[in-house]
Amino acid sequence: MSDTIHRTMGQQSGRRSWAEPWKIKMVEPLRMTRPEDRAGALAEAGYNTFLLRSDDVYIDLLTDSGTNAMSDRQWAGMMLGDEAYAGSRNFYRLEEAIQTWYGYPFIVPTHQGRGAEHLISQAAIRKGQYVPGNMYFTTTRLHQELAGGIFVDVITDAAHDPANLSPFKGDVDIAKLENLVAEHGAASIAYVSLAGTVNMAGGQPVSMANVKALSAFCRGHGIKLFLDATRLVENAFFIQEREPGYADKPLAAIVREFCDYSDGAWMSAKKDALVNIGGWLAVRDRALFEELRNLVVVYEGLHTYGGLAGRDMEAMAIGIAESMQDDHMRARIGQVRYLAELLQDWGVPMVQPVGGHAIFLDARAFYPHLRQDQFPSQTLAAELYLDSGIRSMERGIVSAGRDPETGDHHYPKLELTRLTIPRRVYTQAHMDVVAESVKAVYDARAAARGLKMVYEPRYLRFFQARFEPLS
Ligand code: PLI
């Protein structure tokens, strides 16, 4: 039990609670849903929470991507949008923010993270090259594969075990990378792709010691190291909390040191950076930058807007600075932990330790009677929606997709349902409602019967696949 945030402390003397470092200025009404409406809406959505209308959702924990509440400063910044086609002043503000906080000299804006993934994959991967990474992410791996790359998972084994309590389950197992290089040669590696707080592993962080060792290994072999900085500030929070020598360092300094070990980064700004849309790609190498800056005009937009409005770049520049504030991050991750503690008290199985952006329920442990190809995580997401109108996301066999060579399902060890917490959006009372619904679904777990997939799109199938209940 955390000494800072347990709810029963209200009865104890000497209580010192934390609270969010903001207050609410505007509210967005939610629609309360009825059970009979939810059953119809879910059937119409093919039992896929991505296909629900948001009007049919009560508490939306599908994702923390683009669902952030912006600050009054960010909204004020939106009014300063310079919508010139070329050379918008907001681009220069964004460029300066990325140079200041992340430390890379050359910046390319993109409409969101996958736009940046597309560009870096096209520019830096040759057909048949390997792209080692600390677990796959759906869009990242697909862009690597579409560029002719072969993704290789080099994350530590602990990441695949929901019960393993290691503090840095996002670390690369450098021995796995050494083996890959020994077998195929350094020239066969396009680059190493390292994500902060590994999403598919449950938001698990990478240690500073690991990125340092990885950087030394890569430099020794002439291999580039690129970061997925989408949730790197959240990663820095765990370094500050868990890694010796970092307790007194501000998050901003930790982020900067982490980036110093890399050759470049991309980011979906829709997460850490507290905006609703946006992304970027940044590198140290001028020649690579010239290539990326040329590609961006083909796929995204001119190199000073990359598919974004000027006002979006302004909001992003302000959001980056806000994301680095220690008080903000303490409250953000504190809320995730608050929900986790409620659920843990009831014995609900989840990935441990709890990560930065979400609770990842362990659907295998929830539904041991379902086979993985009966889609336990998808089933759990459907049951939660039926119970209370809470929307969550499948992160298991459906998300893992198929092997491009064999066409078989990937069978990931982790079969998870993600309750993702948007930043600065919901209150503690919402978290109570969520916890109680998860408990109700857990209590009824023996009755769950699983799903069959009746429609499967070719790419990123989890977004649009349709299911029917197994009878
Ligand atoms: O959704 P995009 O295109 O802005 O970003 C893609 C992306 C890249 N890297 C990582 C670690 C992500 O988590 C990510 C998007 N994540 C989503 C949409 C999510 O729900 O987690």
Side-chain angles (χ1 to χ4, degrees), residues 13 54 140 149 244 249 251 269 272 283 297 344 352 356 369 417 436 453 457-458:
S13 60
S54 111
T140 319
K249 291 217 167 102
L251 295 181
D272 265 0
V283 294
V297 300
Q344 282 161 353
Q352 308 274 5
H369 57 289
T417 303
E436 288 158 21
M453 199 188 297
R458 185 158 160 215

PDB file of all heavy atoms in Angstrom, residues 13 54 140 149 244 249 251 269 272 283 297 344 352 356 369 417 436 453 457-458:
ATOM      1  N   SER A  13      -5.374  10.236  11.820  1.00  0.00           N
ATOM      2  CA  SER A  13      -4.839  11.566  12.089  1.00  0.00           C
ATOM      3  C   SER A  13      -3.485  11.676  11.401  1.00  0.00           C
ATOM      4  O   SER A  13      -2.873  10.682  11.042  1.00  0.00           O
ATOM      5  CB  SER A  13      -4.685  11.761  13.588  1.00  0.00           C
ATOM      6  OG  SER A  13      -3.813  10.783  14.089  1.00  0.00           O
ATOM      7  N   SER A  54     -18.666   7.531 -29.192  1.00  0.00           N
ATOM      8  CA  SER A  54     -18.283   8.037 -27.871  1.00  0.00           C
ATOM      9  C   SER A  54     -19.505   8.526 -27.087  1.00  0.00           C
ATOM     10  O   SER A  54     -19.506   8.507 -25.848  1.00  0.00           O
ATOM     11  CB  SER A  54     -17.194   9.088 -28.016  1.00  0.00           C
ATOM     12  OG  SER A  54     -17.612  10.333 -27.713  1.00  0.00           O
ATOM     13  N   THR A 140       4.220   1.214 -34.701  1.00  0.00           N
ATOM     14  CA  THR A 140       5.675   1.299 -34.902  1.00  0.00           C
ATOM     15  C   THR A 140       6.149   0.094 -35.716  1.00  0.00           C
ATOM     16  O   THR A 140       6.857   0.228 -36.716  1.00  0.00           O
ATOM     17  CB  THR A 140       6.406   1.301 -33.537  1.00  0.00           C
ATOM     18  OG1 THR A 140       5.693   2.126 -32.621  1.00  0.00           O
ATOM     19  CG2 THR A 140       7.825   1.778 -33.662  1.00  0.00           C
ATOM     20  N   GLY A 149      11.565  -3.804 -43.071  1.00  0.00           N
ATOM     21  CA  GLY A 149      12.317  -4.205 -41.883  1.00  0.00           C
ATOM     22  C   GLY A 149      11.736  -5.443 -41.224  1.00  0.00           C
ATOM     23  O   GLY A 149      10.593  -5.827 -41.468  1.00  0.00           O
ATOM     24  N   PRO A 244      18.849   4.721  -8.173  1.00  0.00           N
ATOM     25  CA  PRO A 244      19.743   5.455  -7.269  1.00  0.00           C
ATOM     26  C   PRO A 244      20.384   6.648  -7.976  1.00  0.00           C
ATOM     27  O   PRO A 244      20.785   6.545  -9.134  1.00  0.00           O
ATOM     28  CB  PRO A 244      20.810   4.411  -6.890  1.00  0.00           C
ATOM     29  CG  PRO A 244      20.166   3.087  -7.159  1.00  0.00           C
ATOM     30  CD  PRO A 244      19.175   3.293  -8.259  1.00  0.00           C
ATOM     31  N   LYS A 249      16.782  14.865  -8.772  1.00  0.00           N
ATOM     32  CA  LYS A 249      16.873  15.513 -10.095  1.00  0.00           C
ATOM     33  C   LYS A 249      15.470  15.806 -10.622  1.00  0.00           C
ATOM     34  O   LYS A 249      14.585  14.952 -10.566  1.00  0.00           O
ATOM     35  CB  LYS A 249      17.583  14.579 -11.094  1.00  0.00           C
ATOM     36  CG  LYS A 249      19.047  14.388 -10.798  1.00  0.00           C
ATOM     37  CD  LYS A 249      19.860  14.303 -12.091  1.00  0.00           C
ATOM     38  CE  LYS A 249      21.337  14.436 -11.804  1.00  0.00           C
ATOM     39  NZ  LYS A 249      22.059  13.179 -11.822  1.00  0.00           N
ATOM     40  N   LEU A 251      12.418  16.120 -13.298  1.00  0.00           N
ATOM     41  CA  LEU A 251      12.093  15.269 -14.444  1.00  0.00           C
ATOM     42  C   LEU A 251      12.726  15.804 -15.730  1.00  0.00           C
ATOM     43  O   LEU A 251      13.201  15.033 -16.568  1.00  0.00           O
ATOM     44  CB  LEU A 251      10.572  15.186 -14.630  1.00  0.00           C
ATOM     45  CG  LEU A 251       9.802  14.491 -13.503  1.00  0.00           C
ATOM     46  CD1 LEU A 251       8.313  14.464 -13.825  1.00  0.00           C
ATOM     47  CD2 LEU A 251      10.323  13.073 -13.272  1.00  0.00           C
ATOM     48  N   ALA A 269       2.767  13.333 -29.680  1.00  0.00           N
ATOM     49  CA  ALA A 269       2.572  14.386 -28.666  1.00  0.00           C
ATOM     50  C   ALA A 269       1.207  14.285 -28.011  1.00  0.00           C
ATOM     51  O   ALA A 269       0.927  14.992 -27.037  1.00  0.00           O
ATOM     52  CB  ALA A 269       2.761  15.753 -29.317  1.00  0.00           C
ATOM     53  N   ASP A 272       2.211  12.339 -23.501  1.00  0.00           N
ATOM     54  CA  ASP A 272       2.900  13.227 -22.548  1.00  0.00           C
ATOM     55  C   ASP A 272       2.632  14.713 -22.797  1.00  0.00           C
ATOM     56  O   ASP A 272       2.500  15.483 -21.833  1.00  0.00           O
ATOM     57  CB  ASP A 272       4.421  13.051 -22.689  1.00  0.00           C
ATOM     58  CG  ASP A 272       5.011  12.051 -21.710  1.00  0.00           C
ATOM     59  OD1 ASP A 272       4.257  11.479 -20.896  1.00  0.00           O
ATOM     60  OD2 ASP A 272       6.247  11.825 -21.769  1.00  0.00           O
ATOM     61  N   VAL A 283      16.281  14.621 -34.948  1.00  0.00           N
ATOM     62  CA  VAL A 283      17.537  13.875 -35.085  1.00  0.00           C
ATOM     63  C   VAL A 283      18.734  14.807 -34.890  1.00  0.00           C
ATOM     64  O   VAL A 283      18.590  16.028 -34.908  1.00  0.00           O
ATOM     65  CB  VAL A 283      17.630  13.187 -36.476  1.00  0.00           C
ATOM     66  CG1 VAL A 283      16.574  12.104 -36.620  1.00  0.00           C
ATOM     67  CG2 VAL A 283      17.517  14.194 -37.615  1.00  0.00           C
ATOM     68  N   VAL A 297       7.322  16.525 -46.799  1.00  0.00           N
ATOM     69  CA  VAL A 297       6.485  17.299 -47.732  1.00  0.00           C
ATOM     70  C   VAL A 297       5.681  16.379 -48.653  1.00  0.00           C
ATOM     71  O   VAL A 297       4.679  16.791 -49.238  1.00  0.00           O
ATOM     72  CB  VAL A 297       7.305  18.325 -48.570  1.00  0.00           C
ATOM     73  CG1 VAL A 297       8.006  19.313 -47.668  1.00  0.00           C
ATOM     74  CG2 VAL A 297       8.285  17.645 -49.515  1.00  0.00           C
ATOM     75  N   GLN A 344      -6.377  -3.735  -6.476  1.00  0.00           N
ATOM     76  CA  GLN A 344      -5.500  -4.718  -5.820  1.00  0.00           C
ATOM     77  C   GLN A 344      -6.094  -5.179  -4.498  1.00  0.00           C
ATOM     78  O   GLN A 344      -5.987  -6.350  -4.130  1.00  0.00           O
ATOM     79  CB  GLN A 344      -4.101  -4.131  -5.610  1.00  0.00           C
ATOM     80  CG  GLN A 344      -3.291  -4.148  -6.893  1.00  0.00           C
ATOM     81  CD  GLN A 344      -2.105  -3.201  -6.876  1.00  0.00           C
ATOM     82  OE1 GLN A 344      -1.934  -2.409  -5.942  1.00  0.00           O
ATOM     83  NE2 GLN A 344      -1.299  -3.258  -7.903  1.00  0.00           N
ATOM     84  N   GLN A 352       1.947  -6.057 -12.876  1.00  0.00           N
ATOM     85  CA  GLN A 352       2.686  -5.430 -11.775  1.00  0.00           C
ATOM     86  C   GLN A 352       4.114  -5.156 -12.228  1.00  0.00           C
ATOM     87  O   GLN A 352       4.626  -5.941 -13.010  1.00  0.00           O
ATOM     88  CB  GLN A 352       2.764  -6.391 -10.573  1.00  0.00           C
ATOM     89  CG  GLN A 352       1.438  -6.948 -10.145  1.00  0.00           C
ATOM     90  CD  GLN A 352       0.702  -6.047  -9.176  1.00  0.00           C
ATOM     91  OE1 GLN A 352       1.173  -4.948  -8.895  1.00  0.00           O
ATOM     92  NE2 GLN A 352      -0.423  -6.504  -8.687  1.00  0.00           N
ATOM     93  N   GLY A 356       2.775   3.731 -16.038  1.00  0.00           N
ATOM     94  CA  GLY A 356       2.556   5.171 -15.984  1.00  0.00           C
ATOM     95  C   GLY A 356       1.207   5.651 -16.468  1.00  0.00           C
ATOM     96  O   GLY A 356       0.674   6.620 -15.940  1.00  0.00           O
ATOM     97  N   HIS A 369     -10.547 -20.020 -18.080  1.00  0.00           N
ATOM     98  CA  HIS A 369     -11.290 -21.030 -18.836  1.00  0.00           C
ATOM     99  C   HIS A 369     -11.386 -20.685 -20.329  1.00  0.00           C
ATOM    100  O   HIS A 369     -11.885 -21.485 -21.110  1.00  0.00           O
ATOM    101  CB  HIS A 369     -12.701 -21.200 -18.247  1.00  0.00           C
ATOM    102  CG  HIS A 369     -13.507 -19.931 -18.211  1.00  0.00           C
ATOM    103  ND1 HIS A 369     -13.213 -18.882 -17.344  1.00  0.00           N
ATOM    104  CD2 HIS A 369     -14.579 -19.531 -18.925  1.00  0.00           C
ATOM    105  CE1 HIS A 369     -14.089 -17.900 -17.545  1.00  0.00           C
ATOM    106  NE2 HIS A 369     -14.924 -18.273 -18.497  1.00  0.00           N
ATOM    107  N   THR A 417      -6.174  -6.237 -20.871  1.00  0.00           N
ATOM    108  CA  THR A 417      -7.211  -5.242 -21.167  1.00  0.00           C
ATOM    109  C   THR A 417      -6.801  -3.954 -20.471  1.00  0.00           C
ATOM    110  O   THR A 417      -6.564  -3.946 -19.259  1.00  0.00           O
ATOM    111  CB  THR A 417      -8.587  -5.709 -20.665  1.00  0.00           C
ATOM    112  OG1 THR A 417      -8.870  -6.970 -21.268  1.00  0.00           O
ATOM    113  CG2 THR A 417      -9.676  -4.707 -21.028  1.00  0.00           C
ATOM    114  N   GLU A 436     -15.251  -0.149  -9.039  1.00  0.00           N
ATOM    115  CA  GLU A 436     -16.403  -0.965  -8.627  1.00  0.00           C
ATOM    116  C   GLU A 436     -16.948  -1.780  -9.801  1.00  0.00           C
ATOM    117  O   GLU A 436     -17.386  -2.925  -9.632  1.00  0.00           O
ATOM    118  CB  GLU A 436     -17.491  -0.065  -8.012  1.00  0.00           C
ATOM    119  CG  GLU A 436     -17.059   0.447  -6.639  1.00  0.00           C
ATOM    120  CD  GLU A 436     -17.785   1.722  -6.199  1.00  0.00           C
ATOM    121  OE1 GLU A 436     -18.869   2.002  -6.739  1.00  0.00           O
ATOM    122  OE2 GLU A 436     -17.239   2.423  -5.326  1.00  0.00           O
ATOM    123  N   MET A 453     -13.987 -14.055 -33.950  1.00  0.00           N
ATOM    124  CA  MET A 453     -13.789 -12.921 -34.850  1.00  0.00           C
ATOM    125  C   MET A 453     -14.536 -13.203 -36.154  1.00  0.00           C
ATOM    126  O   MET A 453     -14.349 -14.264 -36.753  1.00  0.00           O
ATOM    127  CB  MET A 453     -12.293 -12.716 -35.130  1.00  0.00           C
ATOM    128  CG  MET A 453     -11.973 -11.324 -35.652  1.00  0.00           C
ATOM    129  SD  MET A 453     -10.272 -11.107 -36.208  1.00  0.00           S
ATOM    130  CE  MET A 453      -9.335 -11.367 -34.743  1.00  0.00           C
ATOM    131  N   PRO A 457      -9.790  -6.900 -40.648  1.00  0.00           N
ATOM    132  CA  PRO A 457      -9.130  -6.074 -41.659  1.00  0.00           C
ATOM    133  C   PRO A 457      -7.644  -6.427 -41.788  1.00  0.00           C
ATOM    134  O   PRO A 457      -7.070  -7.079 -40.901  1.00  0.00           O
ATOM    135  CB  PRO A 457      -9.309  -4.651 -41.134  1.00  0.00           C
ATOM    136  CG  PRO A 457      -9.587  -4.785 -39.692  1.00  0.00           C
ATOM    137  CD  PRO A 457     -10.104  -6.158 -39.431  1.00  0.00           C
ATOM    138  N   ARG A 458      -7.030  -5.971 -42.882  1.00  0.00           N
ATOM    139  CA  ARG A 458      -5.662  -6.398 -43.189  1.00  0.00           C
ATOM    140  C   ARG A 458      -4.616  -5.763 -42.261  1.00  0.00           C
ATOM    141  O   ARG A 458      -3.704  -6.438 -41.805  1.00  0.00           O
ATOM    142  CB  ARG A 458      -5.395  -5.991 -44.648  1.00  0.00           C
ATOM    143  CG  ARG A 458      -4.094  -6.452 -45.178  1.00  0.00           C
ATOM    144  CD  ARG A 458      -4.165  -6.479 -46.703  1.00  0.00           C
ATOM    145  NE  ARG A 458      -2.836  -6.450 -47.265  1.00  0.00           N
ATOM    146  CZ  ARG A 458      -2.525  -5.829 -48.384  1.00  0.00           C
ATOM    147  NH1 ARG A 458      -3.445  -5.167 -49.063  1.00  0.00           N
ATOM    148  NH2 ARG A 458      -1.303  -5.856 -48.836  1.00  0.00           N
TER     149      ARG A 458
END
